[in-house]
Amino acid sequence: EDEAISLLRENVQRSKRLLGPEHPLTMKCVYFLARIDSSVTDEHAADFSNTFATVEGVKSRPDLNGKRVAIMRLLDCGTRYECRLCKSNEGENDPKATFGLKLSNLIIENGTEGLIHDLVSASHLNGKKCKILSYDRERKRHVVELLYDKETKFRVRPENVYALLS
């Protein structure tokens, strides 16, 4: 077991070096390491408190729909965010109102930088940084542009873009 943890630690370091600390594969390695080694803190549990989103389409808690939340950290191997309900539009957080939300239930605010991941038909874009320009409510997609290529704009599902620390 110690050998497996040691190997996973090496892979985390290698992934950070080759792909970067924000890459989805790096985040997944860190997540798994934190799950099996209690001495490891989740390095992606950093405060995202300047990254905001609006909740949409939550069936189990319809009272949250339309509410503004602060994204605190990535959870569940990249499938959910820990969010805090904002007390006001200024973004003051309510520490008692913390919950996990699927990426697909959050409309990340315009101007937020993101990381594209898990695209199938345009897999060459996976791992690329982007900027969220708007949200197309009809198609339920974020409109994004690549940071290195401002001419390339396209739509991507919310579950295919991680919000990055701001």
Side-chain angles (χ1 to χ4, degrees):
E1 190 173 298
D2 289 338
E3 187 177 331
I5 291 172
S6 177
L7 185 60
L8 191 50
R9 281 181 189 275
E10 288 175 28
N11 285 336
V12 166
Q13 292 307 316
R14 193 173 297 130
S15 183
K16 283 181 182 180
R17 191 174 59 254
L18 297 173
L19 302 173
E22 302 286 347
H23 194 278
L25 292 176
T26 303
M27 289 190 232
K28 288 179 182 183
C29 287
V30 170
Y31 173 80
F32 284 122
L33 182 59
R35 296 278 308 248
I36 62 171
D37 186 353
S38 60
S39 68
V40 175
T41 58
D42 184 351
E43 296 172 31
H44 291 86
D47 186 11
F48 276 77
S49 59
N50 290 324
T51 304
F52 298 98
T54 302
V55 180
E56 181 177 273
V58 177
K59 293 176 183 169
S60 62
R61 293 273 318 266
D63 58 305
L64 294 176
N65 293 327
K67 303 284 185 182
R68 188 170 189 240
V69 295
I71 299 172
M72 305 313 291
R73 67 183 177 128
L74 196 58
L75 299 170
D76 296 339
C77 198
T79 62
R80 293 177 180 266
Y81 286 118
E82 178 182 334
C83 299
R84 285 202 178 131
L85 199 57
C86 293
K87 287 183 180 177
S88 66
N89 284 334
E90 288 75 46
E92 187 179 336
N93 298 334
D94 181 355
K96 295 178 184 170
T98 302
F99 39 86
L101 288 172
K102 292 179 186 176
L103 277 62
S104 59
N105 292 124
L106 292 173
I107 300 171
I108 301 168
E109 289 190 353
N110 299 347
T112 302
E113 288 188 7
L115 186 74
I116 299 166
H117 65 94
D118 294 336
L119 294 179
V120 176
S121 62
S123 60
H124 64 283
L125 296 173
N126 290 333
K128 305 287 187 208
K129 289 186 178 182
C130 65
K131 182 177 183 179
I132 295 172
L133 301 176
S134 62
Y135 185 74
D136 182 337
R137 288 193 180 279
E138 256 182 56
R139 295 183 177 164
K140 296 187 178 186
R141 304 278 193 276
H142 288 291
V143 178
V144 301
E145 71 180 4
L146 296 178
L147 288 184
Y148 69 88
D149 179 7
K150 304 285 186 199
E151 301 298 315
T152 304
K153 294 176 178 55
F154 54 96
R155 289 174 179 80
V156 61
R157 290 183 295 168
E159 55 267 29
N160 292 120
V161 64
Y162 289 130
L164 297 178
L165 283 168
S166 59

